[in-house]
Amino acid sequence: MVTTVRRRPHPRVPRRLARVFWSLVLVAIAASGSVSAALTARPGPLTALWFAASLVVAVCALALAGRVMFALGRGRRAE
């Protein structure tokens, strides 16, 4: 008969994940503000680059924040 050993995560891991989550949320907020500013700027190639870069950062930060939130929720369900 084989038994599985359930290891408890280190107590600092959820706190670190929460800090990463809120950092990503702040980055996404700043990037969405930058997207908004780029939309109101004069049209041009640099404005297009500014808009595209800000949009990519906002989408990536939101996607990563969603993954961290999912991991935090999964960890709490396992307890």
Side-chain angles (χ1 to χ4, degrees):
M1 184 165 133
V2 176
T3 60
T4 60
V5 177
R6 179 181 265 177
R7 292 182 3 190
R8 294 186 61 85
H10 193 274
R12 293 180 62 180
V13 171
R15 191 177 314 158
R16 188 181 319 157
L17 277 178
R19 191 176 332 132
V20 167
F21 171 75
W22 288 112
S23 299
L24 286 169
V25 168
L26 289 175
V27 168
I29 289 169
S32 64
S34 183
V35 167
S36 177
L39 284 173
T40 59
R42 274 186 43 210
L46 288 179
T47 305
L49 183 63
W50 176 20
F51 172 77
S54 298
L55 195 61
V56 167
V57 169
V59 168
C60 289
L62 285 174
L64 289 172
R67 288 182 57 134
V68 170
M69 187 171 59
F70 180 73
L72 281 172
R74 186 178 53 197
R76 288 194 179 120
R77 281 194 305 260
E79 291 177 355

